[in-house]
Amino acid sequence: MNLNIANYFFLNDSFKTNLEKIVVYVAIVSFLVHLIFIGLVDFGLIDSGIFKELFISPLSAIYTPFSIILIYEVYLLVFYIPKSITNYIGKQYEIITLILIRKLFYDLSKLEFSPNWFSISGDLEFTIDIIATLILFALILGFYSINKQLKTSEKEINQKTKVYINVKKILASILVPIIAIIAIYSLINWVNHLDLQPDEISKRIKSVNNVFFDEFFTILIIVDVLLLLFSFLQTDEFSRVIRNSGFIISTILIKLSFSASGILNAILIVVAVCFGVLILLIYKNYQKRLH
């Protein structure tokens, strides 16, 4: 596909609006279908079999629409690459937060209420994830607030900036089919290696984030490095180089979180987003003091 055509088709406001409507409808339908299946299992009309983890309670049905919404968030991330690097990074933070929230909905249906709450690993992990979600929400708010202040002071668009924007459009256009291919390959690979044992199914469902997002964030690291290198077409300003380098480190930390489990997973995510927010805050003050 011609890159200009891909850019026009996938990365325009009209396509974004239409996709948004489709995602909403699909999310609603998938949620209702999941609820119906849970009801059929509860009344004994069908057997959930090895996939009983998906039909524990109506709460587990929330996992399905959130997975659909995450797909749309991935598209938004690509959509914002040509428009703003900081918004693109912000979308990374939104995606990892939504992944954490999706995990919370899954764990909610399996909570064990006991006086020894903190002695149960699953309940303790749930508590840590709840706290991490609140912290991440606040950090993302801070990130966008700082970014908004920067935008009001950076309105100049010169020829170098236009060249850089065109490069970002090309990268975004290339990224769309790559993401689609990775998603299809990851799903097929996950299904092929599915061990049809109840305990194994439970573990595979809980680690479903690794099916796609682990590879996805690997691609994002490559994209971040390319954006850093191509940013020299626009400027070789020290503060901007450090800012973009910091964003790469933040993305790498998010990527590493997929290899961690339990409490360490949430800690790595919070540290990654916190590092990105601090980098942007320091960059803003650097710009204010020197310009």
Side-chain angles (χ1 to χ4, degrees):
M1 180 183 293
N2 183 279
L3 290 180
N4 289 329
I5 296 175
N7 177 64
Y8 176 78
F9 183 76
F10 293 114
L11 304 177
N12 66 78
D13 292 328
S14 176
F15 181 84
K16 173 177 169 291
T17 302
N18 292 330
L19 181 62
E20 186 176 288
K21 292 177 182 177
I22 292 171
V23 167
V24 170
Y25 293 139
V26 172
I28 292 171
V29 171
S30 64
F31 178 57
L32 294 176
V33 169
H34 199 154
L35 282 175
I36 289 171
F37 272 99
I38 290 172
L40 293 173
V41 170
D42 285 345
F43 285 107
L45 297 176
I46 62 171
D47 181 19
S48 60
I50 59 174
F51 294 100
K52 63 180 180 180
E53 292 287 340
L54 291 173
F55 305 102
I56 295 173
S57 77
L59 288 174
S60 60
I62 306 174
Y63 193 87
T64 303
F66 256 81
S67 298
I68 305 297
I69 292 169
L70 271 169
I71 295 172
Y72 179 65
E73 284 290 323
V74 168
Y75 165 76
L76 284 182
L77 183 145
V78 178
F79 180 83
Y80 280 110
I81 289 177
K83 300 178 183 298
S84 168
I85 293 298
T86 44
N87 280 343
Y88 155 70
I89 296 297
K91 285 298 170 185
Q92 291 187 28
Y93 297 159
E94 288 180 19
I95 286 172
I96 196 63
T97 304
L98 283 173
I99 289 173
L100 194 60
I101 290 174
R102 185 178 67 169
K103 180 171 173 284
L104 285 172
F105 281 124
Y106 179 79
D107 290 340
L108 263 172
S109 60
K110 299 174 64 179
L111 285 180
E112 299 177 37
F113 294 100
S114 165
N116 302 317
W117 179 278
F118 293 106
S119 64
I120 302 172
S121 60
D123 292 350
L124 178 60
E125 186 178 333
F126 176 82
T127 305
I128 297 297
D129 287 346
I130 281 281
I131 296 170
T133 300
L134 291 173
I135 295 172
L136 287 170
F137 195 22
L139 287 171
I140 292 171
L141 172 62
F143 186 86
Y144 282 128
S145 298
I146 297 167
N147 187 41
K148 187 176 181 181
Q149 295 168 20
L150 278 168
K151 279 188 172 181
T152 58
S153 61
E154 295 181 355
K155 293 183 178 180
E156 181 185 357
I157 299 180
N158 53 34
Q159 186 58 37
K160 288 184 177 180
T161 302
K162 290 179 181 178
V163 171
Y164 184 47
I165 290 173
N166 287 332
V167 169
K168 291 193 291 182
K169 286 180 179 178
I170 293 171
L171 278 175
S173 300
I174 294 172
L175 198 55
V176 171
I178 289 176
I179 288 174
I181 292 169
I182 290 174
I184 295 169
Y185 171 79
S186 298
L187 180 60
I188 293 173
N189 188 57
W190 184 75
V191 172
N192 287 338
H193 289 84
L194 199 60
D195 186 355
L196 298 181
Q197 299 295 324
D199 292 340
E200 183 63 24
I201 291 288
S202 175
K203 292 177 183 177
R204 296 286 283 176
I205 291 171
K206 194 167 184 180
S207 64
V208 73
N209 296 333
N210 294 356
V211 172
F212 168 70
F213 287 101
D214 194 1
E215 291 82 0
F216 174 64
F217 272 92
T218 301
I219 296 296
L220 290 188
I221 292 170
I222 297 171
V223 171
D224 288 353
V225 173
L226 289 173
L227 289 172
L228 171 63
L229 296 175
F230 281 119
S231 69
F232 286 99
L233 293 173
Q234 181 185 15
T235 178
D236 59 355
E237 187 179 350
F238 170 76
S239 59
R240 188 160 298 190
V241 172
I242 292 297
R243 183 200 68 176
N244 292 348
S245 299
F247 288 159
I248 294 173
I249 294 171
S250 180
T251 305
I252 291 172
L253 288 172
I254 292 175
K255 151 70 177 167
L256 290 175
S257 71
F258 290 105
S259 303
S261 59
I263 297 173
L264 183 57
N265 173 263
I267 291 173
L268 275 173
I269 294 171
V270 171
V271 169
V273 178
C274 187
F275 185 79
V277 173
L278 288 174
I279 280 288
L280 191 62
L281 178 63
I282 295 169
Y283 171 75
K284 186 198 79 169
N285 285 283
Y286 194 101
Q287 295 293 96
K288 185 187 296 184
R289 291 177 182 275
L290 297 183
H291 297 279

